[in-house]
Amino acid sequence: MKRARPRPRSWNERELRLIDRLAVVHHKLDSANRERAALIAYISRLHAGRMTPPDPAGGVAVHVDTAAGQLSWRVDAEDTHLLAEPDSSVETLTRLSFLHLHRRPNRPAWRSG
């Protein structure tokens, strides 16, 4: 006797909303990881950092020596291109990092009412 195949279950409205919310969260997390990798690339360029050879997954470790000790980060394979060539997001982060130099040194950065 042949067994009947189970009928595929359809998603209910609540499950579909959760899937949509999960997709949004993943998109935001991917964006945050890209920005993090761009900032690591900037710090590495600024302080003559060095990278390890790629691991089996294609990611690399970035090391920067400072007076306080070594700083290290892992950058995933999909973001390692940021370490090789500056792109617009790295250039933006570089410009933003120098904004503090343009305020007057004897004035507070903010004023209370």
Side-chain angles (χ1 to χ4, degrees), residues 39 42 46-47 92-110:
L39 185 57
Y42 165 72
L46 189 64
H47 297 286
T92 299
L93 288 172
T94 302
R95 286 192 299 272
L96 288 172
S97 69
F98 287 104
L99 283 178
H100 72 281
L101 298 175
H102 297 290
R103 70 176 178 85
R104 294 181 184 161
N106 296 329
R107 300 185 97 190
W110 58 273

Side-chain angles (χ1 to χ4, degrees), residues 33-91:
N33 282 334
R34 268 190 307 281
E35 288 181 24
R36 175 186 173 273
L39 185 57
I40 292 168
Y42 165 72
I43 292 169
S44 179
R45 281 195 231 357
L46 189 64
H47 297 286
R50 62 191 182 285
M51 292 183 294
T52 62
D55 61 23
V60 296
V62 178
H63 304 287
V64 174
D65 293 317
T66 71
Q70 186 180 76
L71 302 173
S72 299
W73 300 273
R74 185 180 183 296
V75 176
D76 291 331
E78 57 269 5
D79 295 323
T80 55
H81 69 280
L82 295 170
L83 298 167
E85 292 294 323
D87 69 358
S88 61
S89 62
V90 174
E91 291 171 12

Side-chain angles (χ1 to χ4, degrees), residues 14-29:
R14 180 178 175 271
E15 291 170 328
L16 291 172
R17 281 194 313 270
L18 288 173
I19 290 169
D20 287 341
R21 286 176 51 197
L22 185 61
V24 169
V25 169
H26 275 282
H27 176 72
K28 288 180 180 180
L29 184 58

